[in-house]
Amino acid sequence: MKNNTIVENQEYKSGEKMIFDENSCPVTATMQVLGGKWKAILINAIYHTSPARFGELKRSVKGITQSMLTSQLRELEHDGIICRKIYAEIPPRVEYTLTEFGLTLSPIMLSMAKWGEEYRIKKQ
C-alpha cells in the first residue's frame, strides 16, 4: 500500500486547505463513540441479537468483565446509541436494543467488518 502523505492526500475545500484537529475532525467524533476495546463489539452483538439481555451479552462477549460491560453499556446509552428497557419482573429483566440513531451505524459497522475480513486475509 502506498503511503502518500504530502500533496496527494491533502484535501481542499473551496480552494483552501482543510485543517484537521481533534475538535473539528468528524472521524474523531465517531471514534469517541466507537473507540475502545469493547464498544464496537457490543454494538455488533446487540445489532445481531437484538433485543439482547445483559446475561446474553456477558456470555457472548468473550473476556469482558461484568463491571466493564456495565460501564460500556452505560456510555453507549448516554451517547444515544442503545436503549435499555427494564421489565418490572422478578428476577428483573433488562434488554438492550439499538436506538434509531444507533441503527444509523449499521452501514459503518458492516463496512468495518468487510474491511476487517479483507485485512485479515491480506495479513496471512
Side-chain angles (χ1 to χ4, degrees):
M1 181 183 339
K2 186 176 175 185
N3 276 337
N4 293 329
T5 57
I6 306 177
V7 178
E8 293 89 347
N9 283 345
Q10 292 177 352
E11 294 209 20
Y12 293 89
K13 188 174 186 177
S14 302
E16 294 183 30
K17 186 173 164 184
M18 292 181 71
I19 305 298
F20 294 96
D21 65 18
E22 63 184 313
N23 296 319
S24 66
C25 180
V27 175
T28 299
T30 304
M31 292 310 296
Q32 285 175 341
V33 174
L34 298 180
K37 182 175 180 178
W38 302 109
K39 286 184 181 177
I41 295 169
L42 289 170
I43 292 167
N44 201 32
I46 293 169
Y47 176 75
H48 287 289
T49 63
S50 186
R53 295 182 65 180
F54 185 89
E56 270 178 345
L57 291 170
K58 175 74 174 88
R59 286 186 296 277
S60 67
V61 178
K62 201 169 187 167
I64 194 167
T65 64
Q66 185 163 333
S67 62
M68 181 57 73
L69 177 58
T70 300
S71 167
Q72 297 294 280
L73 289 171
R74 284 183 183 154
E75 287 181 28
L76 289 169
E77 184 179 14
H78 179 266
D79 289 335
I81 305 301
I82 64 170
C83 177
R84 184 172 124 227
K85 186 172 183 182
I86 304 169
Y87 293 89
E89 300 174 350
I90 297 179
R93 178 170 52 123
V94 179
E95 291 181 342
Y96 297 91
T97 56
L98 292 175
T99 62
E100 190 174 320
F101 181 59
L103 285 170
T104 63
L105 286 169
S106 300
I108 296 167
M109 300 301 287
L110 293 170
S111 292
M112 287 173 60
K114 182 179 179 198
W115 187 91
E117 289 170 0
E118 292 172 7
Y119 177 76
R120 282 187 173 163
I121 291 168
K122 182 181 176 182
K123 293 301 278 186
Q124 289 181 353

